Amino acid sequence: MLTRYNPWQELNALQRQMNGLFESSQPTEKAPVAELQETEQAFMLKLELPGVEAKDVDIQVAEKAVSISAERKSGTKTETDGKVRSEFYYGKFQRVIPLPARIQNTDVKAEYKDGILNLTLPKAEAEKNKVVKVNLEQPAA
């Protein structure tokens, strides 16, 4: 009995295997979402940290990256007549955000209000108003 060769069958099997790899390697840790805005003078970094107290946030700033780690602690609940189902993530997390240009990491300003962390990251002096001269070559006559 002859069977017809189907190249898609092998590709489908490969895709299922790849999907299985990615699904099993997903971290259980939830990193906060971020928003990065650039102005001429600074970068404005905003992170959502709902349910995290300011004392549980650690911010470290290098010249080209920001590292934020924190812990969202679970409240202690006592339920006597029922069950609690929670989709909240509790625990520690860390997020490192690379910056597209060098910053003056000694002048960073941070504000934390209503679960939103706002960082103002001033650009290093060399990065501000960076102008590059381009030479135009004349063709030989």
Side-chain angles (χ1 to χ4, degrees):
M1 177 181 212
L2 291 174
T3 53
R4 181 167 282 191
Y5 174 69
N6 182 356
W8 299 112
Q9 183 177 0
E10 289 181 30
L11 286 175
N12 289 337
L14 180 62
Q15 184 176 9
R16 282 193 300 277
Q17 289 175 350
M18 296 286 284
N19 288 342
L21 284 174
F22 286 115
E23 288 170 3
S24 64
S25 68
Q26 290 291 330
T28 57
E29 195 173 282
K30 303 283 186 200
V33 294
E35 180 178 283
L36 183 65
Q37 178 183 358
E38 182 176 1
T39 67
E40 194 172 309
Q41 300 297 318
F43 293 102
M44 313 304 233
L45 180 62
K46 199 185 279 191
L47 281 97
E48 284 186 350
L49 301 173
V52 176
E53 294 184 35
K55 66 180 178 62
D56 295 325
V57 179
D58 180 43
I59 305 164
Q60 296 183 18
V61 183
E63 287 185 343
K64 290 203 70 169
V66 177
S67 171
I68 293 100
S69 57
E71 181 175 5
R72 183 175 183 185
K73 298 178 181 175
S74 66
T76 56
K77 296 180 184 177
T78 54
E79 294 287 330
T80 55
D81 289 0
K83 296 180 181 178
V84 174
R85 179 176 177 225
S86 176
E87 294 180 353
F88 287 179
Y89 172 78
Y90 296 103
K92 294 181 180 183
F93 61 83
Q94 179 179 15
R95 175 128 189 225
V96 176
I97 300 171
L99 300 170
R102 290 179 347 118
I103 61 163
Q104 186 62 43
N105 61 344
T106 56
D107 294 332
V108 173
K109 292 184 176 40
E111 179 186 318
Y112 186 63
K113 184 178 178 187
D114 297 332
I116 304 290
L117 174 64
N118 288 293
L119 296 176
T120 302
L121 309 157
K123 290 182 181 178
E125 206 55 46
E127 300 294 333
K128 295 180 189 173
N129 298 322
K130 194 174 190 180
V131 177
V132 178
K133 177 159 176 54
V134 177
N135 294 323
L136 184 62
E137 294 183 25
Q138 299 293 325

